[in-house]
Amino acid sequence: AKALGRDRYCFFEASMNANAQEQMQLVHDLRRALDRHEFVLMYQPKFDAVSLALTGVEALLRWRHPERGLVPPDQFIPIAEKTGLIVPIGEWVLDEACRQMAFWRETMNAEWTVAVNLSAVQFGHADLVEMVGATLSRHHLDASYLMLEVTESTAMRDVDNSMLILDRLTDMGVRISIDDFGTGYSSLLYLKRLPASELKIDRGFVRDLATDAEDAAIITAIVALGRSLHLNIVAEGVETEVQQAFLTRLGCGSLQGYLFGRPMAPEQIAEAALAPSSG
Ligand code: C2E
Ligand code: CA
Ligand code: CA
Ligand code: CA
């Protein structure tokens, strides 16, 4: 019995080590990924709920790992945040998204916005506002074409600091979107003061709205609240026509989800802009 226990212990320890080792390897690879140009951005379209015109695209980060293949953000962004690597990676994302948007402006006279996700770690970084300003000037991109998506929980973490940063960004002309809305704990007072132009209803509520009366009620309340605060409401994760009909009827301004388009290469966005479709 003792021997068995020891074997088990050894087995457990070995698998722990394998896991820790794998994590270390991942951190090691992540440090080199920027230099090796292994990151790419995919863009997911947002469409006007009524006209189905393209109103924006959201940049979503992908890591093309030489051995592991495509690594989704959920598998490396938490590590990047823990190690601080999210700061240089986030700078690259913003630079690349602005470069691409400036290209669309130049070649297609694009009128949509490009949205970039910000991590709470970047949000706590002192130079964020300057970095955003410098990136826009480097690409000669007007600030009104850039939207920054900040999750509700990030925005509410340190409210005074958030207000300060968001005010400075909006003064510059950048637009703010409150992402994953409904999953954090906004006070209505702060929501009123928050200089945002968009609220994104979290996918979790959209998923079950046809079958879950409570989710449908929450969405109805969010849309009513957002509209009374003159915010554009975006629903993310729209996968079915039933969801589309429900959200459009409520007065959601924009829709985003697999029904309309998955995250795609920038060349495909140009096509989506010319030929809007409802999937
Ligand atoms: P998010 O900002 O909430 O992005 C939406 C996620 O939902 C994306 O996953 C998108 O591909 C997925 N999605 C969109 N429509 C549908 C749908 O109809 N059905 C389903 N099932 N999923 C849908 P993705 O690209 O894997 O990104 C996951 C998360 O990683 C993002 O959630 C965001 O929090 C984070 N992320 C992605 N890119 C960046 C980045 O550049 N910087 C930072 N800080 N975070 C990022
Ligand atoms: Ca987002
Ligand atoms: Ca979201
Ligand atoms: Ca979400």
Side-chain angles (χ1 to χ4, degrees), residues 58-60 115-117 149-151 177 179-180 200 236 256:
E58 177 180 6
L60 292 162
V116 170
N117 290 285
E149 295 196 6
V150 181
T151 66
S177 173
D179 203 358
D180 297 352
K200 274 185 111 166
E236 66 175 12
Q256 188 184 27

Side-chain angles (χ1 to χ4, degrees), residues 124-200:
H125 225 248
D127 315 332
L128 176 68
V129 180
E130 287 76 12
M131 191 270 287
V132 171
T135 307
L136 289 167
S137 349
R138 190 159 61 244
H139 296 287
H140 309 288
L141 182 65
D142 192 281
S144 62
Y145 293 102
L146 176 65
M147 183 161 297
L148 294 174
E149 295 196 6
V150 181
T151 66
E152 182 187 18
S153 39
T154 296
M156 292 300 147
R157 186 163 303 178
D158 176 353
V159 172
D160 291 333
N161 180 52
S162 301
M163 293 288 180
L164 205 75
I165 293 178
L166 294 179
D167 276 334
R168 288 178 61 204
L169 288 167
T170 38
D171 284 349
M172 238 159 75
V174 174
R175 301 182 197 196
I176 305 298
S177 173
I178 306 299
D179 203 358
D180 297 352
F181 191 77
T183 61
Y185 303 91
S186 303
S187 108
L188 295 182
L189 186 67
Y190 285 127
L191 190 59
K192 193 184 102 182
R193 279 177 45 201
L194 215 55
S197 60
E198 182 180 287
L199 282 190
K200 274 185 111 166

Side-chain angles (χ1 to χ4, degrees), residues 16 27 42 83 85 116 137 142 168 188 207 214 247 260:
M16 280 277 287
V27 171
M42 301 286 260
T83 53
L85 285 169
V116 170
S137 349
D142 192 281
R168 288 178 61 204
L188 295 182
R207 187 175 47 225
E214 286 175 355
L247 293 159
F260 304 97

Side-chain angles (χ1 to χ4, degrees), residues 1-250:
K2 207 169 187 180
L4 186 69
R6 216 175 122 187
D7 278 354
R8 274 194 187 148
Y9 173 75
C10 287
F11 174 74
F12 180 63
E13 192 178 49
S15 72
M16 280 277 287
N17 280 340
N19 208 326
Q21 214 159 22
E22 199 183 307
Q23 290 287 100
M24 275 171 64
Q25 184 65 46
L26 209 59
V27 171
H28 175 260
D29 291 352
L30 202 54
R31 284 191 201 287
R32 305 199 298 193
L34 267 178
D35 289 338
R36 298 184 171 197
H37 308 286
E38 289 169 2
F39 291 118
V40 286
L41 293 183
M42 301 286 260
Y43 296 87
Q44 190 180 27
K46 303 180 192 176
F47 292 100
D48 182 280
V50 176
S51 70
L52 296 184
L54 183 77
T55 56
V57 299
E58 177 180 6
L60 292 162
L61 183 60
R62 301 288 181 265
W63 180 14
R64 290 194 195 284
H65 191 283
E67 289 111 40
R68 293 164 196 257
L70 209 64
V71 186
D74 295 341
Q75 281 177 35
F76 67 88
I77 284 180
I79 302 168
E81 288 178 329
K82 235 175 272 168
T83 53
L85 285 169
I86 193 67
V87 174
I89 294 173
E91 282 185 30
W92 179 84
V93 171
L94 185 74
D95 185 74
E96 175 59 19
C98 288
R99 187 198 62 73
Q100 181 63 55
M101 188 64 225
F103 177 79
W104 280 324
R105 288 282 308 134
E106 202 170 301
T107 55
M108 304 182 66
N109 207 19
E111 283 300 333
W112 62 81
T113 56
V114 70
V116 170
N117 290 285
L118 284 188
S119 143
V121 176
Q122 290 175 277
F123 211 68
H125 225 248
D127 315 332
L128 176 68
V129 180
E130 287 76 12
M131 191 270 287
V132 171
T135 307
L136 289 167
S137 349
R138 190 159 61 244
H139 296 287
H140 309 288
L141 182 65
D142 192 281
S144 62
Y145 293 102
L146 176 65
M147 183 161 297
L148 294 174
E149 295 196 6
V150 181
T151 66
E152 182 187 18
S153 39
T154 296
M156 292 300 147
R157 186 163 303 178
D158 176 353
V159 172
D160 291 333
N161 180 52
S162 301
M163 293 288 180
L164 205 75
I165 293 178
L166 294 179
D167 276 334
R168 288 178 61 204
L169 288 167
T170 38
D171 284 349
M172 238 159 75
V174 174
R175 301 182 197 196
I176 305 298
S177 173
I178 306 299
D179 203 358
D180 297 352
F181 191 77
T183 61
Y185 303 91
S186 303
S187 108
L188 295 182
L189 186 67
Y190 285 127
L191 190 59
K192 193 184 102 182
R193 279 177 45 201
L194 215 55
S197 60
E198 182 180 287
L199 282 190
K200 274 185 111 166
I201 303 174
D202 188 66
R203 191 169 83 225
F205 299 114
V206 174
R207 187 175 47 225
D208 300 324
L209 67 81
T211 49
D212 187 323
E214 286 175 355
D215 283 354
I218 289 171
I219 289 191
T220 305
I222 292 176
V223 176
L225 175 69
R227 290 183 61 164
S228 65
L229 294 173
H230 306 290
L231 297 169
N232 182 41
I233 313 295
V234 183
E236 66 175 12
V238 182
E239 294 183 353
T240 70
E241 280 165 15
V242 172
Q243 294 166 345
Q244 176 187 8
F246 180 96
L247 293 159
T248 306
R249 186 153 32 84
L250 273 186

